[in-house]
Amino acid sequence: MKHFKASITVSLRKSILDVQGKTVEHALHSTNFPMIKNTRIGKHVELEIDAENAEKAHALLSDACKTIIANPIMEDYHIELHEMEA
Amino acid sequence: MRFGIVVFPGSNCDHDAWYATTHNADSEAIMLWHKDTSIPKGTDCIILPGGFSYGDYLRCGAIARVSPIMAAVTQHAKRGGYVLGICNGFQILTESGLLPGALLRNTSLNFICKDVYLRTENSVSPFTNSLEQGQILRVPIAHGEGNYFADEDTLNMLEQQGRVAFKYCDVNGNTYLESNPNGSARNIAGILNEQGNVLGMMPHPERCCDIQIGNADGLAVFQSLISAAELLI
């Protein structure tokens, strides 16, 4: 069994207008950062998981994202895994 | 007619729902705790009340939908029992998959607390049978995430099947963009499931059931349910 640390990013689906992202981008544009584009606001979840290998850990977390961590109707998720030393 | 009102940690409209059903609609109501695993026999309608269940952690309704009582609520709905989700209750119903779509942040990013006008789009459901098609109600909203979202196919299906119960409108019943308080797709304020026994709505009918506080437009929802339950007996 291996031990992984996961970093999950949840953000609104690309097809959904992210009003919070837009508002932050307006604020950035009015504070000397007009070069910034496509601002999206999301959530960051960190957790640890035991699994046989990275593939299984990813599959389990993908299931967890679809079930609770994200709402697939409105959100996308991205999982990054880092294997920890035993 | 017996209502069962679910109390989640963070529910804050549970007592309003109890007052509206018992005092204004002259029915029986019992309170159900979120840790209960069954619904007492003889309960006709489950109300998932407004509030901030579990502090709206993760997403509104995301934690409530996995609380112990929700399995029993889902069974109740599958058996044809009535379920009324108001505000946070609507969010819990979409999170649990009992209703399609999701509730996004209001486009203004503000928490909006005010009276709005609703146009009755379906006057034959168990929740709206005492209303006329097109009848306009004045009902308060109080939410930060009430912006109804679903893909185009789902929205078309809801409209074609008569599953949009209420739309946001102006005082004359026009569903203009300006009469849409939160950015909801097609001005949708409340929807029904396919069988018509589950209604989710963002506005609060339980907060306007007593003429002593100046508005009893919401009472029609509870009176409709009572009529529907009587027909079943």
Side-chain angles (χ1 to χ4, degrees), chain A residues 10 12-13 15-17 19-21 23 43 45 65-71 73-75, chain B residues 58-59 62-63 65-66 94-95 99-109 149-151:
Chain A
V10 179
L12 278 177
R13 275 170 49 192
S15 57
I16 294 179
L17 173 69
V19 278
Q20 207 181 344
T23 305
K43 290 179 195 139
V45 181
C65 282
K66 285 180 202 145
T67 313
I68 294 194
I69 296 172
N71 179 342
I73 294 171
M74 58 177 171
E75 293 167 328
Chain B
L58 195 61
R59 291 179 308 281
I63 312 292
R65 81 125 176 124
V66 292
T94 57
E95 279 287 337
L99 290 174
L103 282 314
L104 305 175
R105 193 91 181 260
N106 296 343
T107 45
S108 65
L109 295 175
F149 168 81
D151 59 40

Side-chain angles (χ1 to χ4, degrees), chain B residues 6 14 23 30 34 43 50 61 63 71 80 92 105 161 185 190 204 210:
Chain B
V6 180
D14 43 341
H23 286 64
I30 53 169
H34 69 112
T43 307
I63 312 292
I92 296 167
R105 193 91 181 260
Q161 296 180 352
H204 286 270
D210 198 323

Side-chain angles (χ1 to χ4, degrees), chain B residues 57-103:
Chain B
Y57 290 172
L58 195 61
R59 291 179 308 281
C60 306
I63 312 292
R65 81 125 176 124
V66 292
S67 64
I69 198 157
M70 284 309 292
V73 172
T74 303
Q75 274 180 4
H76 174 84
K78 301 277 182 223
R79 282 198 306 266
Y82 303 133
V83 180
L84 169 61
I86 301 166
C87 196
N88 188 223
F90 185 13
Q91 295 162 339
I92 296 167
L93 288 173
T94 57
E95 279 287 337
S96 67
L98 283 168
L99 290 174
L103 282 314

Side-chain angles (χ1 to χ4, degrees), chain B residues 178-190:
Chain B
E178 299 77 46
S179 53
N180 184 340
N182 52 26
S184 286
R186 303 189 191 180
N187 282 43
I188 289 173

